[in-house]
Amino acid sequence: YARQSLNRDIAEGMSIIFNILLKLLSWSDMQDHTNVDLLKKIINSLAERVDKEERRLTFQEQLERAAHYLAIYSVNVPQFSTATVLFKILLQIMSFARDKSALKKDAVKVVNAILSTGWSDWRENKKEIPFLLEQRIKLNEDPLGVIDNLVNEVLPSYEQDGTPETHPFLVEETVPQYCQAIILQIIESLDILTADDDQELFLVQNARIVKSFERITEYIKAKDQRALYSVLLRSSRIYIDHFIKHSIPYFTKVFRTNKEDIVSIFKEFQTSTRSLQ
């Protein structure tokens, strides 16, 4: 009993500390010039816990060390709610950095740990699952690769064998949340494509996006559940609008030299959108 009480005290203490830190770093005036010194002191106090350098660290280096120090706690955080707050702290620290890529590694490590752990309190905070899953996708070096894995392997595996060990939150009540997160990230993948991208890359990425949307649409149709249809119908108009806005003008410009690829993409697009009628 004494040990259980101690564990509860530790869990509560970590929760309080992380929530205070998140509120401090998320304060809207924190980046105001009058509070820059306070921000630097907070970040430096975290960075120094990794190791002290004789030389003066740049603010970017302090941010990287602070994030790395906090990421270590992802192994020992006792609650899903506290782990989610820890991840949000890392995102906030990342927002202060000029070079965010250097901090992504620790953020990815933490969000992967959260989503692959069978927390006892996750149902009390299941509204965070779409947010965490979206972040897992967008922070990855290959977001479309993560989406492809989810729609072609994880969801089919769930239907055949039940909840995968690597996705303990994937149960019947969270399937709509998974589908929502996947579709929103498919749409965001369209948004980040630009006409400045390499022509071949633009076409390949479009093909992957359209194929992923077609696969998630087929999955939802097979499930035939009202909650899933609701998710699909809410998001499909946005998907279509973004495809028209970002892809069609580019396709029109390069159609003569890439006819076969573009026709193939349109066929996939038509297959998925026809089922929405």
Side-chain angles (χ1 to χ4, degrees):
Y1 175 79
R3 184 168 183 173
Q4 289 179 344
S5 178
L6 177 61
N7 289 339
R8 283 196 300 270
D9 289 343
I10 292 172
E12 184 177 354
M14 291 183 74
S15 176
I16 291 170
I17 291 169
F18 285 156
N19 273 286
I20 290 173
L21 185 55
L22 178 61
K23 287 182 178 179
L24 272 173
L25 295 175
S26 303
W27 179 33
S28 58
D29 290 334
M30 180 55 82
Q31 294 193 66
D32 186 86
H33 71 277
T34 59
N35 297 310
V36 168
D37 287 343
L38 173 60
L39 173 61
K40 289 183 176 180
K41 285 179 181 178
I42 294 172
I43 297 300
N44 187 56
S45 66
L46 295 169
E48 284 184 339
R49 293 179 178 273
V50 177
D51 59 61
K52 289 190 176 182
E53 286 273 357
E54 292 184 6
R55 68 180 180 88
R56 186 179 181 85
L57 297 175
T58 65
F59 187 54
Q60 173 73 29
E61 289 173 325
Q62 289 178 335
L63 290 169
E64 292 172 17
R65 292 191 178 211
H68 185 67
Y69 169 70
L70 289 170
I72 295 170
Y73 281 93
S74 64
V75 179
N76 298 314
V77 172
Q79 296 173 317
F80 173 75
S81 55
T82 307
T84 302
V85 172
L86 171 60
F87 176 66
K88 290 179 179 179
I89 292 171
L90 292 179
L91 290 183
Q92 193 60 42
I93 290 175
M94 192 185 304
S95 73
F96 300 135
R98 290 185 178 181
D99 179 11
K100 294 175 174 51
S101 61
L103 287 84
K104 276 188 179 182
K105 184 177 179 180
D106 285 315
V108 169
K109 174 184 173 183
V110 171
V111 75
N112 284 343
I114 294 172
L115 288 172
S116 60
T117 301
W119 307 91
S120 61
D121 65 325
W122 72 266
R123 280 188 167 85
E124 299 167 24
N125 300 275
K126 66 179 181 180
K127 66 181 185 298
E128 299 284 5
I129 292 175
F131 161 73
L132 291 168
L133 189 57
E134 282 194 65
Q135 292 297 322
R136 183 184 209 172
I137 295 169
K138 70 170 59 178
L139 290 173
N140 195 277
E141 290 184 1
D142 180 18
L144 289 175
V146 180
I147 292 172
D148 180 76
N149 174 258
L150 288 167
V151 299
N152 290 305
E153 296 183 33
V154 175
L155 290 176
S157 173
Y158 165 71
E159 293 302 325
Q160 183 174 341
D161 303 315
T163 301
E165 288 185 12
T166 53
H167 289 265
F169 299 151
L170 183 53
V171 294
E172 201 61 24
E173 67 189 275
T174 63
V175 168
Q177 293 175 303
Y178 263 72
C179 290
Q180 174 189 324
I182 291 168
I183 293 173
L184 290 177
Q185 283 306 298
I186 288 173
I187 293 170
E188 186 163 319
S189 295
L190 275 174
D191 288 344
I192 63 177
L193 288 176
T194 71
D196 295 330
D197 289 333
D198 175 79
Q199 186 176 116
E200 183 179 356
L201 175 64
F202 191 97
L203 293 172
V204 168
Q205 295 294 72
N206 257 280
R208 295 176 73 190
I209 290 168
V210 171
K211 184 63 178 177
S212 291
F213 189 80
E214 188 268 334
R215 293 291 293 164
I216 195 69
T217 300
E218 287 301 311
Y219 176 78
I220 289 173
K221 285 173 59 182
K223 292 284 284 184
D224 194 25
Q225 295 177 0
R226 180 178 296 179
L228 288 173
Y229 280 127
S230 177
V231 169
L232 181 60
L233 291 174
R234 283 199 311 268
S235 307
S236 59
R237 173 51 58 185
I238 302 172
Y239 168 72
I240 293 170
D241 288 345
H242 286 231
F243 183 83
I244 292 171
K245 177 182 177 182
H246 295 286
S247 299
I248 290 183
Y250 188 85
F251 291 163
T252 302
K253 186 170 61 175
V254 301
F255 185 77
R256 287 186 180 181
T257 54
N258 299 274
K259 181 178 178 180
E260 290 185 10
D261 291 334
I262 293 172
V263 169
S264 177
I265 291 171
F266 270 118
K267 284 181 179 179
E268 289 278 6
F269 180 77
Q270 191 176 31
T271 298
S272 60
T273 55
R274 186 189 295 121
S275 65
L276 299 173
Q277 298 174 358

